[in-house]
Amino acid sequence: KREAIGRILDDINKIEDVDIKPLVELESNKDYRGAVALMDRALGKNSAYERLNSSLVGVSGELTKLSLQIKPDDIGTKAIEAFGLLSRLAQAEKNFYESRRTLYEITKSYYGDLAAKKNPPIPGNLRELVAAINDNLKETKELQNQFAAAVKAFDEAVTSKR
């Protein structure tokens, strides 16, 4: 299971995210079709992240359950902590990718309407959604650091018992 987590995390790290900064220039040039295409690419990459994250959620849950069986108790405690943090991390990432998908879909729809010569209102909930995404990202980064430290402590406990 631990190798599976390593593979999933490696696969996640191999995905090159889409830079959406060009959206500003596309809008100022009134290239709304280009904006829609950019958001389509961003949604595709986000979908790849979501698929891998779904695998991570499943494996992390299994590892958390298995860690309850680890003996001696001091090593088991470190395992429970590490893999419990992994489960929380996977859930935080899931929330991040879901919120980001919602933002990308709203943005794509807005630019699609502009490309169709409609006069759509600027979506009203963008600030709240961006704030939620930023909060999700902050939580994810904090949990990544905590997880790395907990895995290191677990590995050190296992190594010292050999």
Side-chain angles (χ1 to χ4, degrees):
K1 297 290 179 198
R2 193 161 172 188
E3 288 96 26
I5 288 174
R7 281 192 301 277
I8 293 167
L9 293 174
D10 283 346
D11 288 346
I12 288 172
N13 288 331
K14 288 178 186 173
I15 298 173
E16 189 172 324
D17 215 350
V18 174
D19 181 5
I20 61 168
K21 290 178 191 155
L23 199 56
V24 173
E25 185 176 338
L26 291 168
E27 181 172 10
S28 58
N29 292 336
K30 299 190 185 309
D31 183 1
Y32 305 126
R33 291 189 198 291
V36 169
L38 178 64
M39 296 317 301
D40 272 335
R41 286 193 307 277
L43 281 162
K45 294 291 183 167
N46 200 75
S47 178
Y49 282 121
E50 286 185 285
R51 279 192 304 276
L52 287 169
N53 178 260
S54 177
S55 298
L56 185 61
V57 167
V59 171
S60 67
E62 290 175 33
L63 273 173
T64 300
K65 289 176 189 169
L66 288 173
S67 66
L68 297 171
Q69 302 168 17
I70 295 177
K71 300 290 181 204
D73 288 343
D74 59 331
I75 294 176
T77 300
K78 301 261 187 228
I80 291 167
E81 182 180 335
F83 298 122
L85 280 166
L86 178 61
S87 288
R88 288 179 49 208
L89 170 60
Q91 188 59 49
E93 287 181 340
K94 180 178 186 261
N95 294 341
F96 170 76
Y97 294 127
E98 286 175 351
S99 296
R100 193 168 76 162
R101 177 177 19 94
T102 300
L103 176 65
Y104 288 174
E105 288 169 344
I106 290 169
T107 303
K108 178 185 170 188
S109 176
Y110 173 73
Y111 286 113
D113 286 349
L114 288 173
K117 306 289 186 204
K118 296 178 183 174
N119 191 15
I122 294 174
N125 62 339
L126 290 181
R127 287 184 197 266
E128 294 85 5
L129 192 52
V130 169
I133 290 168
N134 288 334
D135 289 345
N136 292 144
L137 184 59
K138 181 180 175 188
E139 179 184 12
T140 297
K141 287 181 178 185
E142 289 170 1
L143 287 168
Q144 285 170 342
N145 292 334
Q146 292 172 20
F147 171 65
V151 166
K152 182 179 178 189
F154 171 68
D155 288 342
E156 288 170 355
V158 169
T159 303
S160 73
K161 293 290 181 180
R162 286 185 182 166

